[in-house]
Amino acid sequence: DQLIDNQIKVQNSEAAYIRARENLDVVKNQAQSDLDKAELALRFAKQDLTKYVEGEYPKELNESESRITVAKEELNRAEEKLKWSQKLFDEKYLSGTELRADALAAKKAELDLDLAENNLKLLKEYTYTRTLAELESEVKQSGMALERAKRKATADVIQAEAELRA
């Protein structure tokens, strides 16, 4: 009976050893996967920050400035047309309705210019600052997540090795 009990203990111990060895491999694999994922997230966060600062923001800035330039030109044209329309109206060559339509077009061009200038101001003073802060925070958070993943991976591997030795 004691021999059978000892054989059972040996088989159970061998099974526990195999399970612990396999668990160690799984833990190491999972730890490496978690580290790779955290490193990738950090790299992407840094790339997103660089992309915004060096690419997207200058592009948005140029687009806003272009819209202002176009709006100024349209306003100048609308004002010139309104001046001519006023002269033609005074000389009875143009109807009041056409004069009001040109005045409305000039007002619309003025409002479009104001809107384009306000959009540029918002971009510079608020959108840029906020987006930059969000992206910098993402880089920082990804860096901390990577550090946590490294520490957890090390702890998990040490725990699995201890279980294997036990």
Side-chain angles (χ1 to χ4, degrees):
D1 286 344
Q2 192 175 12
L3 176 63
I4 293 172
D5 284 345
N6 285 341
Q7 287 175 340
I8 291 172
K9 286 180 184 178
V10 167
Q11 288 175 352
N12 285 339
S13 295
E14 286 175 351
Y17 172 74
I18 292 169
R19 185 173 43 251
R21 187 180 66 212
E22 293 302 317
N23 184 49
L24 176 61
D25 289 341
V26 168
V27 167
K28 284 181 178 180
N29 189 302
Q30 183 63 48
Q32 187 60 48
S33 175
D34 292 346
L35 284 175
D36 291 346
K37 186 176 177 182
E39 287 172 351
L40 188 63
L42 177 60
R43 192 170 82 218
F44 284 167
K46 287 179 179 178
Q47 285 177 349
D48 287 345
L49 177 61
T50 302
K51 176 180 147 190
Y52 181 74
V53 171
E54 295 177 5
E56 289 176 2
Y57 175 68
K59 178 181 166 269
E60 290 173 4
L61 193 60
N62 285 339
E63 287 174 353
S64 290
E65 290 170 349
S66 295
R67 281 192 285 275
I68 289 173
T69 302
V70 168
K72 283 180 181 177
E73 184 59 35
E74 288 175 357
L75 178 60
N76 287 338
R77 286 182 177 193
E79 287 173 344
E80 286 295 319
K81 185 174 182 184
L82 180 59
K83 285 180 189 176
W84 279 107
S85 295
Q86 184 64 49
K87 283 183 182 181
L88 291 173
F89 176 76
D90 291 343
E91 296 176 8
K92 309 287 186 217
Y93 290 114
L94 195 65
S95 70
T97 304
E98 290 173 308
L99 178 64
R100 284 191 298 275
D102 290 342
L104 180 63
K107 186 65 177 172
K108 181 186 178 306
E110 184 181 332
L111 292 173
D112 288 345
L113 176 60
D114 288 344
L115 180 64
E117 288 173 341
N118 285 335
N119 284 340
L120 178 62
K121 182 179 177 184
L122 285 173
L123 176 65
K124 285 181 175 179
E125 295 178 8
Y126 301 104
T127 305
Y128 174 73
T129 306
R130 179 183 175 151
T131 304
L132 188 63
E134 287 174 350
L135 292 171
E136 287 173 342
S137 175
E138 184 64 31
V139 169
K140 184 178 178 183
Q141 294 298 321
S142 296
M144 290 189 296
L146 175 60
E147 185 61 32
R148 284 191 305 272
K150 285 179 181 178
R151 289 179 183 207
K152 183 182 182 308
T154 301
D156 288 349
V157 169
I158 289 171
Q159 177 67 33
E161 287 173 344
E163 289 173 6
L164 177 62
R165 285 191 302 272

